[in-house]
Amino acid sequence: MANLLLSSNAAVDIVLIAIMALFAFYGFIKGFTSLLVRFLAGILTLVLSFVLCRNAADFLNDVFGMTDKLGASVAGALPGVFGEELMSMPVSMVNEGNLGSLSVPKFIVNLLLKIASDGSVPADTAVVDVLAPAFAYYIAVVIGFVLCYILFRILFFLIGRLFKGVNKIPLLEIGRASCR
């Protein structure tokens, strides 16, 4: 039987198949690990961007005055979206009866009722002057999220390239060669 295997080159075929299977398994593990690391970096990017988006919005506001500039644009657009009647109404006149007749989203109703009841703004302030800065800040937070996401993706890409480049350092090549 042993002579039959050797004479038909079946043993060589088995050894070659075993070597190919070993390299295929190694490639599978290496590819899986690479994919897993990239996936976890993507999740970490989303989490960090979500956590830091308000800080980024505050930074953008401090450096560029973004909320004020966006607030002016938003103030011009809000009457077209929610109607001139609501936007020109003083905060002191805001109540559920006034807002019930208008088609206003519930989160805006809740915000306006909270502001009207706590007296944090003067009574004669128009609704547009209250909503525009709030909406501008939300827009700045979204911009902060996008910027954080882009910056963290670039950072993790560069870290990945750095770790791939570590394998090519000549000093490490000498150390690996002596281990073989």
Side-chain angles (χ1 to χ4, degrees), residues 91-174:
V91 174
S92 61
M93 295 190 58
V94 171
N95 58 42
E96 289 203 44
N98 290 347
L99 296 176
S101 64
L102 303 170
S103 59
V104 180
K106 188 71 173 164
F107 76 96
I108 294 176
V109 171
N110 292 338
L111 176 65
L112 289 173
L113 290 174
K114 179 181 177 236
I115 290 171
S117 66
D118 71 6
S120 61
V121 296
D124 60 342
T125 304
V127 168
V128 70
D129 295 331
V130 173
L131 288 182
F135 281 5
Y137 182 73
Y138 293 141
I139 293 169
V141 168
V142 170
I143 292 170
F145 176 84
V146 170
L147 286 177
C148 284
Y149 183 83
I150 291 169
L151 290 175
F152 282 121
R153 289 302 288 182
I154 291 171
L155 176 69
F156 288 134
F157 172 78
L158 292 175
I159 289 172
R161 288 291 175 193
L162 178 70
F163 283 129
K164 282 184 180 179
V166 165
N167 292 334
K168 296 177 183 173
I169 295 175
L171 184 61
L172 293 178
E173 284 290 330
I174 294 169

Side-chain angles (χ1 to χ4, degrees), residues 3 6 38 156:
N3 289 337
L6 290 175
R38 284 190 308 215
F156 288 134

